[in-house]
Amino acid sequence: MSHITHKSLKRVAQSATIIFIGTIINLFLGFLGRILLIRFTTQNEYGLYSMAFTLMSVLITISTLGLYDGTTRYIAKFRAENKSDNIQDTVLSSMLIALISSVLITILAYTASGYIAINIYDLPELSPVFNILLIAIPLSVLSNIFISIFRGFGESKIKVFLNEILRPVTYLLFLIPAVFLQFSFHTMVYVYVISILITFLAFLFYFIRKPPLKLNWNRVRINHITKELLVYSLPLLAVNILLTVMSWTDTLMLGYFRTPEVVGMYNAAYTIANLLSVFINSVGYLYVPIISQLYSKNQIEELGVVNATSTKWAFMFTFPMFALFFLYPDFILTFFYDSRYVASSTVFQILVLGFITNAYFGLNYHTLMSAGKSYFLMNCSLISSVLNIILNLILIPPFGMVGAAIASALSFASIEVYMTVKLYKFLKIHPFTNVYLRFTFVAISIVCFFYFVTHLILTTFWTLVILYSLFLLIYAISVLYTKSLDKDDLKLMAEIWETSGIRFSFHKFLKLWGDKGVN
C-alpha cells in the first residue's frame, strides 16, 4: 500500500469513527426530544409540528441548492490544485448564494403560509407553527454551508461537536423546562428555532475565530467559479429532491391502495431499516473531499484502492446490524414499537435486504460525485424514482406493503448496479477484490446458517441474546481467519487506536496479528 493510499484511508477511517459516534449520539438525543414533545403535547399539536417540520425540511433542501456537496467537492479540488484564489471564490460564493436563496425562499414561504395551511391542508392552525419554523431556514442553510466548507478542508470534529451534539443538547436544555413549566405549544416550537440559532452562532463564531483559510472580504465577487459551482451543484439538488420523492412514493401509493394502518406499519419498518445507512454515510463524509483530491491529481490507482477498501469496511461493519435486523425482525419491531408491528416483519426483512445493497456496492455515488458526474447522478435518481413508481403500481395492488418493500429493494439494488457499471467504465475501478468476494461468501454463509437455526428452535429473549452473541463471535473469527481484513487494514486500525489515546490489549492484538503475515 502506497503512502498516499495509507494516509487517505487513515483519514477516512478516523473521520468515519468520529461521525458515526456523533450520529449515534444525535439519534439518541433526538429520540429523547421527540418523546418529550409527544408526551407533553396533544396528538393534534404534534401532528401540526410534524407537518410544519417536514415542510421546513423540504425548503431547507431546496434553499441549499445542492451546495452542501458542491462546495465540499470544489474546495477539495482546488486545494489539490493549489489554487487559493479559487478556494476563496468557492467559499464566498457558496455563502452568498445560500444566504440569498434561503432568505428569498423564507419570504416566499411566509407569504404563502396562510394559503398552504388553509387551501392545501385545510388546517388554519398550521400557519403560525409553520411561520415560527421558517425562521430556522436561513440559519440551517448557512450552518450546512459552514459544515461543507470545513468538510472540504478535511475537518470532521466541528460537525460532530456543533451539529450532532450542541444542537440537540441545546434543544433538550430549553425543552425540558418548557414542558415541565407547562409553557404553550408555540413556545415549544420556538425552542427548536432557538437551538438552531445557537448552533448557527457557534458555527459563525468558530468560523471567524478559526477560519480554514484567510478570507479577503473585499474580494466577494460573482465570476466563472460561481457559475461552475452552481452548474455542478444544481443537479445534486435535483438528486436530493428525487430521492425525497422516492422515499414518499411508497407511502403515498400505499395510502391510495391500502389503509392508513398499513401505511403506518410500512413506515415504521422503513425507518428502522434506514439505520443501515448510518455507517456508510459516516464513511462517505470525508471520503468525498479525499477522493476529489485524488481525482484532481489523476491518482486513479490510489483512488481505486481507497474506494475498494472503504467499501469493504462499510459493508463489514454494517453487516452485523443487518444480520440482527434480518434474523430477528419480530424482536426488533417489538423493541422499537410494540407487538402490533410484528405484522410488518416480512416487509422489514425485504427492506433491510434493499438497504444492505447500498453498503455492499459501497461508495459509487460518492466517487462519481467527487469526479464531477453530478448530471449522471441526477439521471440515476430519475431512473430510480421512475422505476420505483412503476414497480409500486405493479406490486402494491396484489401484495400490499410487501409489494411496496419489494419495489423499494429492487429500485435500490438496480441503481447501485448501474452506478457500479458506470464507475468501472469511467475509471476502471470496482470494489470486488478477491478478498471482498471471499468475505461476501463467508458472511452470507453465516447468516444462512443462523437463519435455519433460528427457525428450528423457540426464540425467546435469552435464546436471541445467546444466538446473536454466538453469531458475532463466529463472524469476528471468520473475518480474521479468512483474512478478510488484511495486514494493512489491521495496522491502520492499530494506528487509529494509538492516535485516539486508548490503550488496551486489543490494539496489541491487532499489531501482533498484522505482523504474523495476514495479507
Side-chain angles (χ1 to χ4, degrees), residues 426-439:
F426 177 49
L427 295 176
K428 302 300 179 186
I429 64 172
H430 63 79
F432 303 110
T433 62
N434 290 334
V435 171
Y436 194 42
L437 293 175
R438 183 169 64 231
F439 168 71

PDB file of all heavy atoms in Angstrom, residues 426-439:
ATOM      1  N   PHE A 426     -15.937   4.258 -16.461  1.00  0.00           N
ATOM      2  CA  PHE A 426     -15.347   5.595 -16.405  1.00  0.00           C
ATOM      3  C   PHE A 426     -13.909   5.573 -15.890  1.00  0.00           C
ATOM      4  O   PHE A 426     -13.004   6.174 -16.483  1.00  0.00           O
ATOM      5  CB  PHE A 426     -16.228   6.486 -15.518  1.00  0.00           C
ATOM      6  CG  PHE A 426     -15.703   7.861 -15.304  1.00  0.00           C
ATOM      7  CD1 PHE A 426     -15.283   8.652 -16.370  1.00  0.00           C
ATOM      8  CD2 PHE A 426     -15.625   8.396 -14.023  1.00  0.00           C
ATOM      9  CE1 PHE A 426     -14.789   9.931 -16.167  1.00  0.00           C
ATOM     10  CE2 PHE A 426     -15.146   9.672 -13.805  1.00  0.00           C
ATOM     11  CZ  PHE A 426     -14.716  10.434 -14.893  1.00  0.00           C
ATOM     12  N   LEU A 427     -13.677   4.866 -14.777  1.00  0.00           N
ATOM     13  CA  LEU A 427     -12.354   4.888 -14.144  1.00  0.00           C
ATOM     14  C   LEU A 427     -11.682   3.514 -14.070  1.00  0.00           C
ATOM     15  O   LEU A 427     -10.552   3.413 -13.562  1.00  0.00           O
ATOM     16  CB  LEU A 427     -12.462   5.459 -12.719  1.00  0.00           C
ATOM     17  CG  LEU A 427     -12.877   6.931 -12.594  1.00  0.00           C
ATOM     18  CD1 LEU A 427     -13.022   7.316 -11.131  1.00  0.00           C
ATOM     19  CD2 LEU A 427     -11.879   7.843 -13.286  1.00  0.00           C
ATOM     20  N   LYS A 428     -12.391   2.478 -14.528  1.00  0.00           N
ATOM     21  CA  LYS A 428     -11.850   1.116 -14.476  1.00  0.00           C
ATOM     22  C   LYS A 428     -11.557   0.679 -13.034  1.00  0.00           C
ATOM     23  O   LYS A 428     -10.569  -0.008 -12.765  1.00  0.00           O
ATOM     24  CB  LYS A 428     -10.571   0.998 -15.320  1.00  0.00           C
ATOM     25  CG  LYS A 428     -10.738   1.370 -16.790  1.00  0.00           C
ATOM     26  CD  LYS A 428     -11.757   0.475 -17.466  1.00  0.00           C
ATOM     27  CE  LYS A 428     -11.935   0.866 -18.927  1.00  0.00           C
ATOM     28  NZ  LYS A 428     -13.021   0.115 -19.588  1.00  0.00           N
ATOM     29  N   ILE A 429     -12.421   1.067 -12.111  1.00  0.00           N
ATOM     30  CA  ILE A 429     -12.270   0.632 -10.721  1.00  0.00           C
ATOM     31  C   ILE A 429     -13.571  -0.007 -10.244  1.00  0.00           C
ATOM     32  O   ILE A 429     -14.660   0.310 -10.742  1.00  0.00           O
ATOM     33  CB  ILE A 429     -11.895   1.799  -9.776  1.00  0.00           C
ATOM     34  CG1 ILE A 429     -13.018   2.840  -9.726  1.00  0.00           C
ATOM     35  CG2 ILE A 429     -10.585   2.442 -10.195  1.00  0.00           C
ATOM     36  CD1 ILE A 429     -12.797   3.910  -8.666  1.00  0.00           C
ATOM     37  N   HIS A 430     -13.450  -0.927  -9.294  1.00  0.00           N
ATOM     38  CA  HIS A 430     -14.606  -1.556  -8.657  1.00  0.00           C
ATOM     39  C   HIS A 430     -14.159  -2.104  -7.301  1.00  0.00           C
ATOM     40  O   HIS A 430     -12.956  -2.296  -7.065  1.00  0.00           O
ATOM     41  CB  HIS A 430     -15.175  -2.669  -9.538  1.00  0.00           C
ATOM     42  CG  HIS A 430     -14.214  -3.795  -9.768  1.00  0.00           C
ATOM     43  ND1 HIS A 430     -13.986  -4.791  -8.836  1.00  0.00           N
ATOM     44  CD2 HIS A 430     -13.390  -4.078 -10.818  1.00  0.00           C
ATOM     45  CE1 HIS A 430     -13.084  -5.641  -9.297  1.00  0.00           C
ATOM     46  NE2 HIS A 430     -12.698  -5.229 -10.499  1.00  0.00           N
ATOM     47  N   PRO A 431     -15.087  -2.363  -6.395  1.00  0.00           N
ATOM     48  CA  PRO A 431     -14.702  -2.815  -5.049  1.00  0.00           C
ATOM     49  C   PRO A 431     -14.562  -4.328  -4.921  1.00  0.00           C
ATOM     50  O   PRO A 431     -14.205  -4.818  -3.845  1.00  0.00           O
ATOM     51  CB  PRO A 431     -15.860  -2.306  -4.183  1.00  0.00           C
ATOM     52  CG  PRO A 431     -17.037  -2.363  -5.088  1.00  0.00           C
ATOM     53  CD  PRO A 431     -16.522  -2.042  -6.475  1.00  0.00           C
ATOM     54  N   PHE A 432     -14.845  -5.084  -5.997  1.00  0.00           N
ATOM     55  CA  PHE A 432     -14.974  -6.538  -5.882  1.00  0.00           C
ATOM     56  C   PHE A 432     -13.631  -7.254  -6.033  1.00  0.00           C
ATOM     57  O   PHE A 432     -13.377  -7.977  -6.997  1.00  0.00           O
ATOM     58  CB  PHE A 432     -15.996  -7.045  -6.891  1.00  0.00           C
ATOM     59  CG  PHE A 432     -17.336  -6.394  -6.738  1.00  0.00           C
ATOM     60  CD1 PHE A 432     -17.794  -5.499  -7.703  1.00  0.00           C
ATOM     61  CD2 PHE A 432     -18.109  -6.624  -5.621  1.00  0.00           C
ATOM     62  CE1 PHE A 432     -19.022  -4.875  -7.551  1.00  0.00           C
ATOM     63  CE2 PHE A 432     -19.339  -6.006  -5.456  1.00  0.00           C
ATOM     64  CZ  PHE A 432     -19.796  -5.124  -6.422  1.00  0.00           C
ATOM     65  N   THR A 433     -12.770  -7.045  -5.045  1.00  0.00           N
ATOM     66  CA  THR A 433     -11.499  -7.747  -4.982  1.00  0.00           C
ATOM     67  C   THR A 433     -11.734  -9.190  -4.534  1.00  0.00           C
ATOM     68  O   THR A 433     -12.833  -9.547  -4.068  1.00  0.00           O
ATOM     69  CB  THR A 433     -10.556  -7.063  -3.991  1.00  0.00           C
ATOM     70  OG1 THR A 433     -11.160  -7.114  -2.669  1.00  0.00           O
ATOM     71  CG2 THR A 433     -10.329  -5.609  -4.366  1.00  0.00           C
ATOM     72  N   ASN A 434     -10.718 -10.019  -4.656  1.00  0.00           N
ATOM     73  CA  ASN A 434     -10.835 -11.403  -4.199  1.00  0.00           C
ATOM     74  C   ASN A 434     -11.141 -11.471  -2.705  1.00  0.00           C
ATOM     75  O   ASN A 434     -11.932 -12.316  -2.255  1.00  0.00           O
ATOM     76  CB  ASN A 434      -9.545 -12.165  -4.511  1.00  0.00           C
ATOM     77  CG  ASN A 434      -9.349 -12.400  -5.994  1.00  0.00           C
ATOM     78  OD1 ASN A 434     -10.320 -12.448  -6.762  1.00  0.00           O
ATOM     79  ND2 ASN A 434      -8.102 -12.527  -6.427  1.00  0.00           N
ATOM     80  N   VAL A 435     -10.509 -10.583  -1.946  1.00  0.00           N
ATOM     81  CA  VAL A 435     -10.758 -10.536  -0.500  1.00  0.00           C
ATOM     82  C   VAL A 435     -12.215 -10.208  -0.214  1.00  0.00           C
ATOM     83  O   VAL A 435     -12.858 -10.834   0.641  1.00  0.00           O
ATOM     84  CB  VAL A 435      -9.831  -9.491   0.170  1.00  0.00           C
ATOM     85  CG1 VAL A 435     -10.228  -9.271   1.630  1.00  0.00           C
ATOM     86  CG2 VAL A 435      -8.391  -9.931   0.078  1.00  0.00           C
ATOM     87  N   TYR A 436     -12.757  -9.227  -0.943  1.00  0.00           N
ATOM     88  CA  TYR A 436     -14.145  -8.804  -0.722  1.00  0.00           C
ATOM     89  C   TYR A 436     -15.129  -9.905  -1.104  1.00  0.00           C
ATOM     90  O   TYR A 436     -16.102 -10.155  -0.389  1.00  0.00           O
ATOM     91  CB  TYR A 436     -14.416  -7.535  -1.535  1.00  0.00           C
ATOM     92  CG  TYR A 436     -15.688  -6.806  -1.145  1.00  0.00           C
ATOM     93  CD1 TYR A 436     -16.051  -6.642   0.180  1.00  0.00           C
ATOM     94  CD2 TYR A 436     -16.518  -6.250  -2.122  1.00  0.00           C
ATOM     95  CE1 TYR A 436     -17.197  -5.958   0.533  1.00  0.00           C
ATOM     96  CE2 TYR A 436     -17.663  -5.555  -1.782  1.00  0.00           C
ATOM     97  CZ  TYR A 436     -17.999  -5.422  -0.449  1.00  0.00           C
ATOM     98  OH  TYR A 436     -19.139  -4.744  -0.090  1.00  0.00           O
ATOM     99  N   LEU A 437     -14.879 -10.568  -2.212  1.00  0.00           N
ATOM    100  CA  LEU A 437     -15.762 -11.657  -2.636  1.00  0.00           C
ATOM    101  C   LEU A 437     -15.690 -12.829  -1.658  1.00  0.00           C
ATOM    102  O   LEU A 437     -16.717 -13.468  -1.370  1.00  0.00           O
ATOM    103  CB  LEU A 437     -15.384 -12.110  -4.050  1.00  0.00           C
ATOM    104  CG  LEU A 437     -15.635 -11.084  -5.158  1.00  0.00           C
ATOM    105  CD1 LEU A 437     -15.114 -11.598  -6.498  1.00  0.00           C
ATOM    106  CD2 LEU A 437     -17.128 -10.750  -5.269  1.00  0.00           C
ATOM    107  N   ARG A 438     -14.503 -13.109  -1.140  1.00  0.00           N
ATOM    108  CA  ARG A 438     -14.354 -14.168  -0.148  1.00  0.00           C
ATOM    109  C   ARG A 438     -15.134 -13.827   1.116  1.00  0.00           C
ATOM    110  O   ARG A 438     -15.834 -14.674   1.695  1.00  0.00           O
ATOM    111  CB  ARG A 438     -12.872 -14.376   0.174  1.00  0.00           C
ATOM    112  CG  ARG A 438     -12.596 -15.507   1.161  1.00  0.00           C
ATOM    113  CD  ARG A 438     -11.116 -15.827   1.213  1.00  0.00           C
ATOM    114  NE  ARG A 438     -10.330 -14.704   1.720  1.00  0.00           N
ATOM    115  CZ  ARG A 438      -9.260 -14.214   1.105  1.00  0.00           C
ATOM    116  NH1 ARG A 438      -8.861 -14.713  -0.053  1.00  0.00           N
ATOM    117  NH2 ARG A 438      -8.576 -13.210   1.639  1.00  0.00           N
ATOM    118  N   PHE A 439     -15.027 -12.575   1.541  1.00  0.00           N
ATOM    119  CA  PHE A 439     -15.770 -12.135   2.719  1.00  0.00           C
ATOM    120  C   PHE A 439     -17.280 -12.223   2.482  1.00  0.00           C
ATOM    121  O   PHE A 439     -18.039 -12.615   3.376  1.00  0.00           O
ATOM    122  CB  PHE A 439     -15.383 -10.700   3.074  1.00  0.00           C
ATOM    123  CG  PHE A 439     -16.291 -10.073   4.084  1.00  0.00           C
ATOM    124  CD1 PHE A 439     -16.268 -10.482   5.404  1.00  0.00           C
ATOM    125  CD2 PHE A 439     -17.199  -9.087   3.702  1.00  0.00           C
ATOM    126  CE1 PHE A 439     -17.128  -9.912   6.340  1.00  0.00           C
ATOM    127  CE2 PHE A 439     -18.048  -8.520   4.625  1.00  0.00           C
ATOM    128  CZ  PHE A 439     -18.014  -8.929   5.955  1.00  0.00           C
TER     129      PHE A 439
END
